[in-house]
Amino acid sequence: MHGDDPIFILDIQVYGPKKYGLSANNANLAYLVGAMIAHTGAQVVLLQELMTSIAEAVAFTAAETCAVATGKQWRYIVLQARPEKDRESYAILFQSQDAQFAPVANGFGIASGDFPTKDLTKGGRRPAYVYFRTTDTNTVFVATSYHAPPSGNTSLGVKRLGQMPEIYSINPGGTGVLNTNSRVMGGDYNMPLPLNADLYTWLTDPVPVPPPPTTAGQGAGSAAAVGDPTILATWAEVTKAWGDDPRNWHSDPAWYVQKDNCLDNLFCRPAATRGGVVDALGILMDTGSGPSRFAQKFITQKDGSEQFPHASMLGYPMNKWLQSAPYAYIFYRNAVSDHLPVWADVTI
């Protein structure tokens, strides 16, 4: 896999029935997700915060949108974060036609071992993993997706991710042990960088021989690809700064991002050649872009009810409103997510 084919992670805040099956914009949101993926040129995609009841439908629609936009076939794998116990699932999408990698047969699953909840040291969401093999160099790599608990147990979750046996080797379908030194660990880690860099050492410290790491000073040998903030400001923060009228808000989309709050990241081995935060608001403001065209199809009101918070502040035609940073923020923050997508180019 080469550097021009980025890996992309997108966290749609509580993507469940209210945004899918019970929403007038259910298809539009899934199409927008696919269009955002295609816009970045990503070939491997990690989707998080999908509610299990709709995860399969969302992944299918997003993959179909990617296929239409790229002219290539896409596949996906959906895995529950806590099989039979959790409402949340992960989806891993990947280009399956004319890609420089292919999934390893039976090389996917949920981490073994225990991961914390926000209150307990066990019983929490576990990471998902998928193994791939490059078609040019025959190199095996693993992609993981982890939604860490938002609490003091977050650092424990990161530690257990670094100790997760499946990021070092698996035995797919009992066909024999498959080892890897290459990994991309995507997640909503709920610990902002760089403020908590010392808590990520289980991901960044050197890999022991043999892995996995067991003591301090050992880790997964990976490097963070993203260092910029990934969370949009809250409604309260924006209105406190500029008042209730969006016409008086800032015209630069960068001003709608919380400072020093990089929660979403991709930890890569080898280190990413490039990485960053997707300028989702700027993409929406480009009303000719694929994501913006799907955003313009959103219904703001139906039967007298707003279809997402503050939707009544947006009017028609939507392209007129989305050209402005305040209204692009209103749309994305309330109809899509409080998280901005992140991406990384990794040469394997």
Side-chain angles (χ1 to χ4, degrees):
M1 185 170 186
H2 296 294
D4 291 333
D5 308 316
I7 293 178
F8 176 91
I9 182 169
L10 179 58
D11 187 322
I12 303 293
Q13 184 183 23
V14 192
Y15 198 167
K18 289 185 178 179
K19 286 186 175 178
Y20 195 77
L22 303 179
S23 169
N25 294 304
N26 55 359
N28 288 331
L29 180 53
Y31 290 142
L32 188 151
V33 168
M36 191 70 75
I37 294 167
H39 187 85
T40 65
Q43 289 195 346
V44 177
V45 179
L46 311 173
L47 297 183
Q48 297 190 340
E49 285 206 53
L50 301 180
M51 297 300 98
T52 299
S53 60
I54 56 91
E56 197 71 39
V58 169
F60 173 82
T61 305
E64 288 295 295
T65 305
C66 289
V68 171
T70 63
K72 310 293 184 182
Q73 295 176 358
W74 280 69
R75 291 172 55 192
Y76 65 89
I77 296 170
V78 173
L79 295 162
Q80 280 187 259
R82 289 192 306 167
E84 301 178 359
K85 293 182 179 179
D86 200 83
R87 64 175 187 160
E88 188 172 327
S89 290
Y90 306 104
I92 297 92
L93 286 68
F94 51 92
Q95 185 176 313
S96 57
Q97 180 184 358
D98 296 335
Q100 294 175 320
F101 60 89
V104 172
N106 300 309
F108 60 88
I110 291 292
S112 57
D114 230 329
F115 283 74
T117 68
K118 65 184 182 67
D119 300 313
L120 303 173
T121 59
K122 60 181 181 179
R125 291 184 293 259
R126 290 184 274 160
Y129 66 88
V130 178
Y131 269 64
F132 297 93
R133 189 188 300 273
T134 61
T135 56
D136 51 355
T137 62
N138 204 37
T139 302
V140 174
F141 69 97
V142 60
T144 69
S145 186
Y146 180 44
H147 185 193
S151 72
N153 282 335
T154 305
S155 59
L156 176 60
V158 169
K159 174 182 177 180
R160 291 183 178 169
L161 173 62
Q163 295 178 316
M164 172 180 156
E166 291 86 355
I167 65 172
Y168 305 100
S169 66
I170 58 168
N171 187 347
T175 58
V177 174
L178 192 62
N179 298 307
T180 183
N181 288 316
S182 303
R183 59 193 63 92
V184 178
M185 298 178 289
D188 171 5
Y189 291 106
N190 277 309
M191 290 194 304
L193 279 174
L195 300 177
N196 292 287
D198 59 325
L199 299 180
Y200 283 98
T201 54
W202 287 95
L203 303 186
T204 58
D205 279 350
V207 180
V209 180
T214 58
T215 62
Q218 300 176 345
S222 304
V226 181
D228 294 323
T230 64
I231 303 298
L232 289 173
T234 66
W235 188 262
E237 289 169 335
V238 170
T239 54
K240 180 180 179 180
W242 302 309
D244 294 330
D245 189 345
R247 291 174 296 182
N248 298 325
W249 295 0
H250 208 286
S251 60
D252 185 347
W255 282 73
Y256 295 87
V257 183
Q258 291 180 352
K259 307 304 179 187
D260 301 319
N261 210 358
C262 177
L263 301 187
D264 307 87
N265 222 311
L266 292 150
F267 285 82
C268 307
R269 177 187 173 94
T273 55
R274 297 186 304 158
V277 182
V278 176
D279 180 16
L281 302 190
I283 292 172
L284 292 181
M285 291 168 66
D286 175 7
T287 54
S289 71
S292 187
R293 289 198 299 270
F294 281 114
Q296 292 164 39
K297 296 180 180 180
F298 270 60
I299 297 170
T300 58
Q301 297 195 50
K302 183 179 180 181
D303 299 329
S305 298
E306 289 187 323
Q307 294 303 294
F308 51 88
H310 308 293
S312 60
M313 289 186 165
L314 295 162
Y316 294 101
M318 283 278 277
N319 63 329
K320 172 185 175 182
W321 296 83
L322 289 175
Q323 293 177 37
S324 168
Y327 295 99
Y329 161 79
I330 291 171
F331 173 84
Y332 196 88
R333 179 66 173 75
N334 294 287
V336 183
S337 183
D338 57 341
H339 292 251
L340 292 171
V342 297
W343 62 276
D345 283 344
V346 185
T347 301
I348 295 174

